[in-house]
Amino acid sequence: MAGFGHGTRGYPRSRGRTWSRTGPDRATLGIIGAICAVAGFFALGIVLGPVAIFCGWQSMGRSWSGERNVPALVALVLGAIDTLLAAMALTGAAAWGNGLL
């Protein structure tokens, strides 16, 4: 007797182990981050670099431990390099000289 008309067949999994399927999964976030990181080297690096870092970090599960997929790590590293180069170009362009570009 399951109790009060609620059988066990309606919910094959417990409620605590289910999650929402509305957002992008980790593999997709890693690929999006890697694409943003590569595109950031050519245009809008100051915007696409942090986006790539964010997507890579979310794809890694917001932790350094555990398994890491390659696109997430590529997005994180290239996004950091992209952001650093864009910041250097902006500070160089704002200096008294001609800047880096």
Side-chain angles (χ1 to χ4, degrees):
M1 178 173 191
F4 299 109
H6 298 291
T8 58
R9 294 217 179 247
Y11 301 101
R13 292 181 286 183
S14 65
R15 287 180 178 251
R17 295 180 187 225
T18 59
W19 59 85
S20 175
R21 299 263 185 189
T22 56
D25 60 347
R26 289 184 177 180
T28 306
L29 275 175
I31 293 169
I32 290 171
I35 291 171
C36 286
V38 171
F41 282 113
F42 301 105
L44 295 173
I46 198 67
V47 175
L48 292 175
V51 169
I53 293 172
F54 177 77
C55 289
W57 184 247
Q58 292 294 317
S59 179
M60 289 174 62
R62 297 184 307 262
S63 108
W64 290 106
S65 62
E67 67 179 44
R68 294 182 202 116
N69 55 355
V70 175
L73 196 59
V74 166
L76 193 68
V77 171
L78 288 181
I81 293 170
D82 191 20
T83 304
L84 182 66
L85 288 176
M88 285 175 39
L90 283 176
T91 55
W96 286 89
N98 293 333
L100 295 175
L101 299 175

